[in-house]
Amino acid sequence: MAKTDKTVIKSLTHLCFVLFMILFSCSIDDYDNYVVDLGGGYKYIVESRLIHSISGCNRIDIPPQIEQCKYGKRFILVKQRPDTYSYSDYKGVEKGCYKMGIDTPYYWIIDKQEQIHFGPISYDEYLHISDSLNIPVLLEK
């Protein structure tokens, strides 16, 4: 094998290695940018606009489309406008639980400490529950 052939093969090998490392690092960064850890076993999947929970007692998944999500040490507050997905795939959400129809915004309050949730509820119910739990009203109507 000629010296030129060995140089070309070595250069191609290095190029492939560099490309692999760039692609690998991009895939890790993309995942981190699209998943927000909300604490308490809940994650917000940005691209899908949903909240997913790890398996466990009284945890719930909130299906798309999440319009607002605020969270702190104890509470997760969510404004959601459901779409036409089948809700049978989401833990804790029963078919027919969106009583005002799917063209209406709904609100959720998740208490990570007590492992309970309120939702889907109307804005008035959200205000009432927020007041009773001493949560500042952080979601817009």
Side-chain angles (χ1 to χ4, degrees):
M1 192 179 259
K3 186 173 182 177
T4 306
D5 290 341
K6 288 182 180 180
T7 305
V8 169
I9 290 173
K10 188 174 180 179
S11 297
L12 286 174
T13 303
H14 285 152
L15 179 64
C16 288
F17 178 75
V18 169
L19 287 173
F20 173 77
M21 293 305 292
I22 290 170
L23 290 173
F24 181 74
S25 67
C26 288
S27 66
I28 291 173
D29 290 340
D30 286 347
Y31 179 78
D32 290 342
N33 289 333
Y34 291 113
V35 177
V36 178
D37 187 354
L38 304 174
Y42 292 93
K43 296 192 182 295
Y44 176 48
I45 314 301
V46 176
E47 189 173 12
S48 302
R49 296 175 66 185
L50 63 88
I51 290 180
H52 178 70
S53 65
I54 61 171
S55 298
C57 179
N58 295 325
R59 290 201 172 88
I60 188 160
D61 290 346
I62 302 177
Q65 299 283 340
I66 292 176
E67 295 180 351
Q68 293 180 57
C69 180
K70 308 278 184 179
Y71 66 100
K73 186 175 182 177
R74 181 171 175 184
F75 295 103
I76 301 171
L77 308 174
V78 177
K79 178 183 178 184
Q80 175 219 22
R81 188 177 304 266
D83 58 20
T84 57
Y85 284 106
S86 166
Y87 300 112
S88 61
D89 294 339
Y90 295 94
K91 293 183 284 184
V93 179
E94 298 174 12
K95 198 169 191 170
C97 67
Y98 293 100
K99 297 181 183 355
M100 298 179 291
I102 61 170
D103 58 341
T104 303
Y106 290 88
Y107 298 83
W108 299 76
I109 298 172
I110 298 172
D111 185 336
K112 296 182 283 187
Q113 180 178 316
E114 298 297 324
Q115 293 192 12
I116 58 173
H117 71 274
F118 304 92
I121 55 178
S122 69
Y123 189 72
D124 290 338
E125 291 170 306
Y126 163 71
L127 292 176
H128 177 73
I129 294 169
S130 294
D131 185 51
S132 68
L133 295 173
N134 295 318
I135 303 171
V137 177
L138 299 173
L139 300 176
E140 300 169 3
K141 186 169 184 177

